[in-house]
């Protein structure tokens, strides 16, 4: 099977200073902010943290890791919840992942610096395929697929929440 090399995302900023993709001509989040979007659309939209409470594990499937803000917001909410699931599995697909310096630059402007620093310390080399990152003492597992989202149809997993 032939696998194309990974084309990294290039971090740009629009006239308002918001992260912007020149490749797709689009902002990575609304002007209201990445973390506000993550909280409103993904956490509250999936009724989290209530749905992971007192469970052994909770699995999130995301199509489009981008800057990782949804992951960082989810990890932070999980970490702050004393009744959280014992393990958080976050599976995300990204066709154009950022290089480590790009992520570091983007994350310097947001909260969740502890989580971002741990993510940066384990950020994989940009090669196609699956990358498993164990974080937070192994209690948080981030599985990144550097591939086109079409691979989602071949995944075999039971997701408790979807971030589209």
């Amino acid at each position: 099977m032939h696998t194309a090399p990974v084309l990294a995302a290039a971090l740009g900023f629009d006239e308002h200073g918001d992260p912007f993709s020149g490749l797709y001509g689009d902002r990575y989040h609304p002007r209201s902010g990445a973390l506000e979007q993550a909280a409103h659309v993904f956490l509250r939209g999936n009724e989290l943290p209530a749905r992971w409470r007192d469970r052994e594990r909770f699995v999130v499937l995301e199509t489009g890791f981008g800057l990782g803000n949804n992951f960082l917001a989810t990890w932070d909410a999980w970490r702050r919840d004393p009744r959280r699931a014992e393990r958080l599995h976050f599976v995300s697909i990204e066709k154009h992942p950022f290089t480590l310096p790009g992520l570091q630059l983007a994350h310097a402007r947001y909260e969740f610096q502890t989580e971002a620093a741990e993510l940066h310390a384990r950020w994989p080399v940009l090669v196609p395929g699956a990358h498993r990152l164990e974080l937070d003492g192994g209690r948080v597992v981030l599985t990144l697929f550097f591939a086109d989202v079409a691979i989602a149809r071949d995944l075999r997993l039971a997701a408790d929440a979807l971030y589209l």
Side-chain angles (χ1 to χ4, degrees), residues 48-60 74-75 77-89 136 138-141 160:
L48 302 177
R51 290 184 50 229
W52 66 42
R53 292 218 168 119
D54 301 322
R55 295 184 52 181
E56 183 178 325
R57 71 167 186 221
F58 194 84
V59 180
V60 176
T74 302
W75 184 8
W78 175 87
R79 201 178 234 184
R80 288 184 289 109
D81 184 0
R83 292 180 54 199
R84 66 184 170 255
E86 291 177 36
R87 292 188 66 153
L88 174 64
H89 290 266
D136 213 323
R139 298 177 306 152
V140 174
V141 177
D160 299 298

Side-chain angles (χ1 to χ4, degrees), residues 95-130:
K95 185 174 184 176
H96 301 293
F98 280 93
T99 63
L100 178 57
L103 276 183
Q104 290 169 324
L105 178 61
H107 292 159
R109 337 175 35 193
Y110 302 128
E111 28 185 299
F112 313 139
Q113 291 304 303
T114 300
E115 291 87 352
E118 190 170 345
L119 175 63
H120 299 161
R122 289 171 177 72
W123 191 247
V125 174
L126 302 188
V127 296

Side-chain angles (χ1 to χ4, degrees), residues 1 3 61-63 91-95 129-130 143-157:
M1 176 169 95
T3 304
L61 172 62
E62 177 186 48
T63 58
V91 179
S92 190
I93 304 165
E94 180 56 58
K95 185 174 184 176
T143 304
L144 289 168
F145 287 91
F146 292 161
D148 188 275
V149 73
I151 67 126
R153 67 177 164 251
D154 298 325
L155 295 179
R156 300 293 180 254
L157 63 90

